[in-house]
Amino acid sequence: MSKKIKDTDYLVISARVKAMESGLLTRERMEQVLEAKSSEDAVKILQECGYPALDPADPAAMDAALSAAREETLKDLADGAPDPRYIDSFKLKYDYHNVKALLKAEAMGTSADSMLMDLGRVPVAELKEAVRTGQLDALPNLLADAVAEAREVLGTTGDPQLSDIVLDRWCYRDLAQVAESTGSAFLMGYVQTQIDAANLRTLVRTLRMGKGPEFLRGVLLEGGELSADQLLEVSANRGAGLAELYGPTRFQKAAEAAAESVKGGTLTEFEKLCDDAVSDYLADAQFVPFGEAPLVGYLAARETEYTNLRILLMGRGAGLPAEVIRSRLRQSYV
C-alpha cells in the first residue's frame, strides 16, 4: 500500500507557491497593461512580469507562447508535487481537447496538427497513434472509453457537436474521479463548482435556443451541487425560477445576468460572472498555510491569468474601449 500523503508533505511546495503568487498579475498590473500608450509598452510591462513578447497582431503565435507558459508552469510544479494527481487535474482537459480535434479531422480527412496542444497527460504523438489505430489500451481508462464512445457517436450521427458533448461528459467524469481519488475536499469542491458553472451555461444556452427539458437532460453533467431535476424544472418553466434557484449559491450574480441573457441579451457579462463564481471558490486557498489547496489555487489562478491576458491584448489589438475590456476581465486571484 502506498504511503498516505499528509498536508505536511506539502510544506516545501506550499512555501514555493506562496512565493510564486507574488508573480501573478494583480488588478493594478492589468490596469497598467490596459492603459499603456502603445502595444509595445503593454508587452514590455508583461515582459517585466516574466512573459515572452506577446503580439496580439499574431494570435497564433500569442496562443503558442501562452501554451508554452502553461507547460512550463505545470512541469515546474509537477517536479515538487507529492501527488501528481493534482497536476493531472489541470492537464486532463487537454487530452479531451485533443481527442475532439483528432476525431473531427479524421471525419473530414484533414490534419488536426494545428489544433493540438501537447499539455495533457498523454503526449500528442501517442494520442494521435492510439486514435489512428484504435489501439486504446495504453490510454487512461476513462479517456479510452471516451474515445470509443465519441467515435461511435460521430460515425453514427455525423454530428461533431454530439461527439463533443460525449467527450465533455467524460472529461468531467474523469476530473471528478481524479479529485475523489485524492480524497481532497478542496479539489472535489473545485470540480463540483466547475460542473455547476458548466451546467448553468448549458441551461442558459438551451433556453436561448428554445430547446426543451429532454434536450437539456442529454447534455447536463453529473456531480454538481444542484441536481439535474432542479435545472430541468427551470427549463420546463422556460427560465422562470432560475434566479431563485441559484440565489443561495455562489452563482447568484451569474444567474441574475442569465435571466437577462435568456431574454436575448448578451452572454458576455453572464460568462464572466460564471468564471468569477469559480474564482470565488478558489479565493480561500490563499489563506491555507500548507497542503494541496495552495497548489490547486495557484494553478487555477494561472489559468485565469492566461484568459485575462488574451482578453487584454486581443481587446487592445481590436481597438476596444478600455471600459469594455475592463468589464470582460475575470476576477483575479491576487
Side-chain angles (χ1 to χ4, degrees), residues 25 33 38-47 49-69 305-306 308-314 316-317:
L25 292 178
V33 176
S38 66
S39 295
E40 290 76 16
D41 289 340
V43 169
K44 284 180 182 177
I45 294 170
L46 292 174
Q47 286 180 304
C49 298
Y51 278 98
L54 299 172
D55 184 3
D58 189 347
M62 183 173 68
D63 287 342
L66 291 176
S67 290
E305 182 167 295
Y306 301 140
N308 278 336
L309 280 175
R310 208 173 189 287
I311 291 170
L312 272 169
L313 296 176
M314 295 300 290
R316 282 183 57 100

Side-chain angles (χ1 to χ4, degrees), residues 39-116:
S39 295
E40 290 76 16
D41 289 340
V43 169
K44 284 180 182 177
I45 294 170
L46 292 174
Q47 286 180 304
E48 291 170 3
C49 298
Y51 278 98
L54 299 172
D55 184 3
D58 189 347
M62 183 173 68
D63 287 342
L66 291 176
S67 290
R70 279 188 177 95
E71 184 176 13
E72 183 178 351
T73 298
L74 289 168
K75 184 177 184 304
D76 189 13
L77 290 173
D79 290 340
D83 188 335
R85 290 174 295 185
Y86 292 105
I87 305 299
D88 284 348
S89 68
F90 285 87
K91 297 177 74 171
L92 67 82
K93 66 182 179 182
Y94 297 106
D95 292 329
Y96 288 89
H97 162 85
N98 289 336
V99 171
K100 287 180 182 180
L102 288 166
L103 290 181
K104 288 174 187 173
E106 179 181 86
M108 298 172 64
T110 60
S111 171
D113 288 352
S114 64
M115 296 178 286
L116 300 177

Side-chain angles (χ1 to χ4, degrees), residues 4-7 9-10 13-14 17 73-74 77-78 80-93 121 175 177-191 194 290-300 303:
K4 182 176 175 59
I5 296 173
K6 306 183 294 295
D7 284 352
D9 293 322
Y10 283 85
I13 197 168
S14 293
V17 163
T73 298
L74 289 168
L77 290 173
D83 188 335
R85 290 174 295 185
Y86 292 105
I87 305 299
D88 284 348
S89 68
F90 285 87
K91 297 177 74 171
L92 67 82
K93 66 182 179 182
R121 298 165 298 176
L175 186 57
Q177 186 177 95
V178 170
E180 187 175 355
S181 73
T182 67
S184 166
F186 184 80
L187 182 57
M188 286 187 278
Y190 176 43
V191 173
Q194 290 182 83
F290 55 84
E292 79 281 3
L295 174 62
V296 173
Y298 177 78
L299 287 170
E303 287 295 317

